[in-house]
Amino acid sequence: MCGLCGTYAPDKTLDRSVAAAMHARLVHRGPDETYSLNTPVLSAKLGRLGMTALKDGWQPAEDPSGRYAALTNGEIYNAAELRALLGGGPPDNRVDVAVLPELFARHGPEGLTRIDGQFATVIHDRADDSLYLGRDRFGICPLFYAVLGSQVHFCSELKPLVRGVPHPWRLDLGAVDQYLALGNIVAPRTLVEDVCAVPPGCVVRFGADRPPETVRYWRYGEFREADRPATGEEIRSAVGRAVADRLRADVEIGAYLSGGFDSSTLVLEAARAREKPARTFSALFDDVTLDEGRFQREVADAVGSEHHQVRCSPAHVAAEFEDMVRHCCYPQRETYNVAALMLSRQVRLTGLKGVISGEGADELFFGYDSYAFDGARRTPPEHHAENEQAWGRADFAWETDRARTARRRDLSLSPQARDALPGREYWRDRLIPFDDEETASLTRMQLRSIADVYVQLGGHLLGDHGDMMLMANSVEGRYPFLGNPVVDLALGVPDERKVADFEGKACLKEAYAGIVPERILHRAKQGFTAYGLADTADGRTLSRWRDLVAASGVFRPDALEALGADTTPDKWDVRLSLISISAIIDELGLRS
């Protein structure tokens, strides 16, 4: 992973100092070396975190004709296969992402469907001076952009873009409502008006005489009926291949080990893929209801890994929560990201630049408890027109509850914000890339899987929880369950093989029975949770946070008290969301 940024000005009114200002704030993403791509209409920079081709790879990369030049961050794991497909002799430029410009030149955006990897790319077409911003299938690598007048500014992170580009930036109230309803912000929205996230699986084209055009080259959710059930051996083969691909690098790759089934499976596959076990990294908690240390140690001992543990206490959360928020500039609904930040810091201190992690298994193989509830539902859900607009089905609401969302608004938003909200509510956006006819043909579990991927996985689990916490300490995250072979297999597995006897990921667990330790194979799902607000914030800290919320301009001055006094059960502590959004407003200087 690296850090991309730049400015595109087809009218040749470039101010190259803007790209330099953004790049200076991205050093943590690419501390090893810097590359530039400069033309009369483009000033782009890439800060590289070197993982492959350390001596014989460089950027920008070009296609053989020289028409397309690209700066790309991330990894293309099937680069050798793609080079063979494209033909030609061995390349001089051995960096894996160097294959991307020729792939684009031959096939356009559709060529990116062939990539097994994670990337964000800036492609310049020298023939007509157009620009393309592209992102991998699941949005593992972030990429933001803002169209301001005749110029387009882009960056791997939100904060350097907003702080580096002079503009009267404003808060996007629609994004706030998305968060209050969903606990997530869905691309292309961000918390900042005029700043968009390139959606996963998309390329956005910019040119002199046309508005930006978003082309989707791939989407998750093309479920199909397989000719025959996938065998356990085929499942293990797909996962094992994806793990082996993501361990390939010119530097050592470690592994996150939470103690759950997903990360344990990857650590065991990693041990089979190479002679020396991957170094493993885990977070411990003082609270016995949160701590998974005994499970982590069992797996680490089983493979003989050099195991590193980081203990996260309430004091750590109190000391680092606000700094973490101000770094990632993404709202929070729990404090676990502090532990994630501490964990990546430990990885870097041991000298590693990358880790594999288990994100994606729950979404692809229906691992959350909600899938089992969907399968056991006996009464039809309520129908609402809002659901139809947001999801394409009036009977599907994902994790939202209309009454609960209305109560969060009432207890949180200022009168001015409530008055300005009509027309910007979260449900007015189509939140998944499927139309009404397509969603009608999906089962409830399939539709939930699609929503989980686009609402929760892309923005949060791979975004602020994954990329931002890892890259804060110059560490790259790699996700084998999102490898093409695993995804292709998962799309052909029927619902009843994913959820059986009220247990999700049934086919995965069946495939790894006798390989993953029995205690871990069937242990209850434990999500990313950490200490609550009451456990971490002292009176002085709470007072400062109240002042932040009151100064936000979008929330009630007494919102923290109102939410704290509310006895209605809620899915998360909304006070953390308000505190984090208010800190971001302050950090970015947003007007509400």
Side-chain angles (χ1 to χ4, degrees):
M1 231 71 110
C2 310
L4 271 172
C5 64
T7 298
Y8 168 67
D11 61 357
K12 301 181 181 179
T13 59
L14 273 178
D15 179 355
R16 299 184 191 276
S17 67
V18 174
M22 287 190 283
H23 178 69
R25 293 182 169 95
L26 287 173
V27 174
H28 54 282
R29 297 189 69 90
D32 294 338
E33 54 190 331
T34 297
Y35 298 116
S36 298
L37 174 57
N38 290 302
T39 77
V41 300
L42 178 65
S43 177
K45 292 187 177 295
L46 174 74
R48 186 188 187 199
L49 180 65
M51 307 292 285
T52 60
L54 303 183
K55 295 181 179 179
D56 50 5
W58 63 86
Q59 295 200 55
E62 297 182 347
D63 75 297
S65 74
R67 174 175 175 176
Y68 293 98
L71 288 174
T72 306
N73 74 357
E75 311 294 337
I76 296 179
Y77 301 113
N78 63 336
E81 176 186 320
L82 293 173
R83 285 186 177 120
L85 185 70
L86 294 169
D92 294 328
N93 186 352
R94 280 194 58 253
V95 70
D96 52 8
V97 296
V99 72
L100 194 148
E102 185 174 0
L103 197 63
F104 193 86
R106 297 267 196 103
H107 304 287
E110 285 298 313
L112 304 186
T113 63
R114 303 168 185 254
I115 293 175
D116 183 9
Q118 53 196 70
F119 63 89
T121 187
V122 176
I123 304 170
H124 179 223
D125 183 350
R126 290 173 170 142
D128 62 6
D129 271 341
S130 57
L131 180 78
Y132 298 85
L133 302 180
R135 200 171 171 201
D136 64 75
R137 292 179 170 199
F138 287 95
I140 298 171
C141 295
L143 190 58
F144 302 93
Y145 69 91
V147 180
L148 302 177
S150 63
Q151 299 188 344
V152 180
H153 306 281
F154 52 89
C155 192
S156 292
E157 294 183 6
L158 182 67
K159 180 176 171 179
L161 193 160
V162 172
R163 295 284 290 270
V165 178
H167 183 71
W169 299 104
R170 299 184 63 89
L171 178 72
D172 183 344
L173 184 59
V176 173
D177 194 61
Q178 273 193 2
Y179 204 84
L180 290 178
L182 306 168
N184 293 281
I185 298 173
V186 184
R189 276 198 189 271
T190 73
L191 265 185
V192 184
E193 275 191 4
D194 297 326
V195 179
C196 296
V198 176
C202 289
V203 170
V204 185
R205 183 189 187 278
F206 305 89
D209 303 317
R210 63 174 69 186
E213 177 189 10
T214 299
V215 176
R216 179 170 294 283
Y217 67 83
W218 188 86
R219 65 178 182 176
Y220 171 74
E222 303 288 350
F223 296 96
R224 66 186 187 280
E225 187 173 335
D227 296 336
R228 57 174 179 76
T231 65
E233 184 179 353
E234 288 170 331
I235 291 172
R236 291 192 301 273
S237 175
V239 175
R241 175 183 164 191
V243 170
D245 286 344
R246 282 151 185 80
L247 291 175
R248 265 202 321 267
D250 292 342
V251 297
E252 183 182 351
I253 305 297
Y256 274 175
L257 177 57
S258 70
F261 170 77
D262 305 336
S263 64
S264 299
T265 298
L266 299 185
V267 168
L268 289 161
E269 284 289 0
R272 293 204 308 172
R274 60 188 190 187
E275 295 178 4
K276 181 181 177 182
R279 281 190 265 180
T280 50
F281 299 84
S282 300
L284 303 177
F285 297 94
D286 294 343
D287 187 336
V288 294
T289 64
L290 302 175
D291 193 71
E292 301 178 81
R294 63 193 184 281
F295 301 108
Q296 298 161 0
R297 178 56 67 184
E298 182 173 351
V299 176
D301 289 346
V303 300
S305 70
E306 178 186 311
H307 189 53
H308 299 260
Q309 296 174 315
V310 174
R311 181 166 294 278
C312 179
S313 70
H316 290 119
V317 173
E320 296 202 46
F321 179 76
E322 188 176 334
D323 288 342
M324 175 271 294
V325 171
R326 289 177 181 271
H327 166 69
C328 71
C329 284
Y330 193 88
Q332 305 294 304
R333 58 184 183 184
E334 67 264 320
T335 63
Y336 186 87
N337 271 2
V338 172
L341 191 62
M342 295 172 65
L343 204 54
S344 72
R345 189 180 300 142
Q346 180 62 34
V347 172
R348 191 58 174 171
L349 285 173
T350 64
L352 270 63
K353 288 183 173 183
V355 290
I356 57 171
S357 188
E359 280 77 4
D362 287 313
E363 291 78 10
L364 271 61
F365 292 96
F366 302 0
Y368 298 123
D369 291 342
S370 50
Y371 290 97
F373 293 141
D374 279 347
R377 182 185 287 274
R378 292 294 178 264
T379 57
E382 289 186 83
H383 287 230
H384 292 290
E386 294 177 3
N387 296 337
E388 192 165 10
Q389 191 156 339
W391 310 105
R393 285 248 303 256
D395 66 340
F396 182 79
W398 190 60
E399 299 290 330
T400 58
D401 179 280
R402 295 173 74 247
R404 186 180 290 148
T405 300
R407 186 153 186 80
R408 289 177 193 149
R409 290 177 183 138
D410 290 342
L411 296 175
S412 302
L413 296 179
S414 68
Q416 297 87 347
R418 286 202 302 272
D419 290 344
L421 185 59
R424 306 183 190 182
E425 297 94 341
Y426 79 94
W427 49 266
R428 294 185 183 276
D429 293 338
R430 178 55 61 93
L431 299 170
I432 55 176
F434 286 77
D435 62 30
D436 294 6
E437 184 177 345
E438 291 171 322
T439 57
S441 67
L442 296 166
T443 68
R444 289 190 62 79
M445 285 192 279
Q446 289 170 346
L447 187 51
R448 179 178 291 278
S449 177
I450 292 167
D452 279 344
V453 163
Y454 285 102
V455 177
Q456 183 162 273
L457 181 67
H460 168 51
L461 293 177
L462 297 175
D464 70 291
H465 176 66
D467 175 87
M468 291 298 291
M469 295 303 100
L470 285 158
M471 292 301 293
N473 292 299
S474 306
V475 177
E476 176 178 282
R478 299 179 170 194
Y479 306 95
F481 285 116
L482 299 179
N484 291 9
V486 181
V487 176
D488 292 345
L489 183 147
L491 288 169
V493 175
D495 294 5
E496 61 270 17
R497 289 204 64 218
K498 293 177 181 175
V499 180
D501 298 325
F502 291 93
E503 185 172 37
K505 294 182 289 199
C507 61
L508 269 181
K509 292 180 178 181
E510 180 183 319
Y512 281 94
I515 298 172
V516 171
E518 188 68 23
R519 278 208 313 162
I520 291 166
L521 191 70
H522 295 297
R523 61 172 295 218
K525 173 72 178 171
Q526 183 165 331
F528 292 125
T529 55
Y531 309 104
L533 188 63
D535 302 319
T536 56
D538 58 21
R540 185 175 179 182
T541 302
L542 271 177
S543 178
R544 186 177 75 253
W545 287 347
R546 286 192 195 98
D547 290 343
L548 267 178
V549 171
S552 70
V554 70
F555 300 127
R556 289 171 43 171
D558 66 341
L560 298 188
E561 289 79 8
L563 288 164
D566 185 35
T567 57
T568 307
D570 211 334
K571 294 190 65 174
W572 76 85
D573 190 341
V574 182
R575 293 176 298 174
L576 286 171
S577 303
L578 269 56
I579 291 165
S580 56
I581 292 171
S582 300
I584 296 165
I585 291 170
D586 180 68
E587 183 70 19
L588 299 182
L590 304 180
R591 296 187 296 172
S592 58

